[in-house]
Amino acid sequence: MFGKKRVAIVGAGLTLFRRNLKETGKELAYEASKMALDAAGMELSDIQSVVMGTAPDAFDGVHMKGEYLADGAGARNKPYVRVYVGGGTGVFTPLAGWWHVASGQFDTCLVVCEEKMSSCFPHPAYAFTTIFDNILARPLGTTLIWIFALEMHRYMHKHNIKKEQIARVAVKNKRNALDHPCAQLAANITVEDVLNSEIMCWPVQRLDISPTSDGAAALVLASEDVAKKVTDNPVWIDGVGWCIDSTIWTNRDLYYPDYVEYAARMAYKMAGIKNPPKEIDLAEPYDPFDYKELHHMEGLLLCRKGEAPKLTEEGVTARDGDLPICPSGGLLGVGNPIAAAGAMKVCEVFWQLRGEAGKRQVPGDPRTGVAQAWGDLMQYGSVIVLRR
Amino acid sequence: MSEKIKSYPGFRIKTADLREGKVPFEAWRPRVRYAWSAGIAMSRFLEELKNGRIIATYCNKCGRIMVPPRVFCEQCFKPVDGWKYVKDTGTINTYSVSFIAGDASRIKEPIIVAVIDIDGASPGMGILHKIGEINWKEVKFGMKVKAVWKPPEERVGSITDIKYFKPIREETL
Ligand SMILES: [Zn+2]
């Protein structure tokens, strides 16, 4: 066993994801936290530690965002920390919660992720410009979409992948999201709709991208002894992995995310997974763009390099396929309040493994699922393996 | 969502509701600016750009000639062993074509952006820059390109001292 104690997820909560919600970030954090506690049948007094995940402060214009959100996360007078690894935050935050409990230091940990992107004007895209290298990249007017388009194009070039193949991911995920009550961009669209949508930064088009969103998600983590007292069906955190590559991304071959593979190998080793496609029943890889789902399936070793588009075409990754990918609807369909979006994926795997996903439930009584997020300058991977 | 949960919190408003004051709000604009010292490695790099040259650093342990230059090798975690001029030509490793500005509004002339692997540096040592003097539909992976410099009197020691990279046509080789 890794750590002193085995750790389970015993409750999850989620708010609506929308372009603009009236609630403050603090209020959203409270709503998700309270829902997760209620689902676990626990009170705040049962919680011994709190971990908050939230991404760039520039969205909110509130620099001490961890402190600002603390009350909403139920952290008053408790051990509390905010963690931040860019887009990787939403899956990394449960990992940080895991070590709080696995270390034996705490029996319980409330994990809360929040993002409110709507407060930033004229567009939250401007807030992203503060992440770039201040000497070499910013003077050129670099935008987030430029660099992701560079990565997408490199990936397409390396494996000779067509845009039609990638568009299928957007079609699948937006359709899956029709069954998600929190979804912001659920839709029945076609590959042609994606290919005919406005070109943002070639090869990225409007429907290749997830939206900007407000929202929050929360999870209650408990040690084995506590988990078995509060629930008959705990979901175990059996594998954790995280990894960062060099920030000098122009010196890396962007066609493949090595750092995701390293994070996945760390998590699989801990979970005793030797053959990921056989042993993993469903996955929620990070999909802020449609190509990222494919890129991350490969990094997660769910298929060979360059093979993910083919599996998608063959329907293997559909909700009723052999290896369902993003049955939630993902960021493309449910929305992308950055840290909350990654945590939404962990919530989804939790609900899927408990058989509570309703219309979104993948068939075949899944036992093992993986969620992954990606962030910073195309360099960070965070991976969690859950089992029932 | 769990099927056990019947309703999800969240009260949707429109961005226009904020602009038009239909919901109570407070607005604020930061009044700060930043000026960064370029650092040891980048200061030399920028000074050389002013001279119309691209400079790298090299590490004798891993054997890499690195652009952009750095004072320590992040792989070997030791000081680099020296400076070396590299060429102002390179190869397009990947590219994208932006039709939007930073605020997502449309722009008239698309901007071609590329990672350019610099000749004379180790393989895969690329820098981010723009491509010019070519229609975006004609740009190709692996295309050879050369820096187009601003006139010396207009250079200030910035990455923008290179206006863009242009394709090296067959006849100019
Ligand atoms: Zn070295």
Side-chain angles (χ1 to χ4, degrees), chain B residues 59 61-62 64 73 75-76:
Chain B
C59 169
K61 192 171 178 200
C62 62
R64 293 188 308 158
C73 173
Q75 281 186 16
C76 308

Side-chain angles (χ1 to χ4, degrees), chain A residues 12 14-16 18-23 28 31-32 35 39 61 118 121-123 125-126 134-140 142-143 145-147 149-151 153-154 157 179-182 198-203 206 233 246 248-254 348 351 354-360, chain B residues 1-5 7-16 18-19 23-24 28 36-39 42 45-46 49 64 66-68 70 74 92-104 106 111 113-115 117 123-130 136 141-142 158-160 162-163:
Chain A
L14 191 63
T15 69
L16 299 181
R18 291 293 182 271
R19 174 68 185 89
N20 206 328
L21 287 171
K22 187 174 184 181
E23 287 87 347
L28 291 172
E31 295 288 357
M35 188 191 287
S118 62
F121 288 87
H123 194 279
Y126 272 129
N134 43 4
I135 309 297
L136 289 181
R138 287 199 220 179
L140 293 171
T142 308
T143 69
I145 200 162
W146 281 16
I147 72 167
L150 289 169
E151 186 184 68
H153 216 185
R154 181 72 187 164
H157 173 70
D179 296 324
H180 201 303
C182 299
E198 179 190 13
I199 299 176
M200 313 285 281
C201 185
W202 182 259
R206 173 76 66 187
N233 46 358
S246 165
I248 310 171
W249 58 270
T250 57
N251 289 177
R252 293 193 255 123
D253 195 329
L254 299 174
E348 179 71 9
W351 287 322
R354 301 235 291 195
E356 290 179 15
K359 283 199 226 165
R360 296 191 320 286
Chain B
M1 139 277 187
S2 165
E3 61 184 353
K4 292 185 175 172
I5 301 167
S7 80
Y8 289 82
F11 188 91
R12 186 188 169 206
I13 56 173
K14 291 180 184 148
T15 304
L18 284 175
R19 285 207 196 95
V23 292
W28 185 79
W36 300 285
S37 147
M42 272 304 115
F45 180 75
L46 296 179
L49 289 180
R64 293 188 308 158
M66 300 172 283
V67 184
R70 50 215 85 163
E74 76 280 6
I92 294 179
N93 172 293
T94 184
Y95 70 96
S96 59
V97 190
S98 185
F99 292 83
I100 53 168
D103 63 351
R106 305 296 294 177
I111 302 167
V113 186
V115 175
D117 292 347
M125 285 286 161
I127 63 167
L128 177 70
H129 220 293
K130 298 175 185 174
W136 72 273
F141 285 86
S158 163
I159 189 66
T160 55
I162 296 174
K163 288 201 280 186

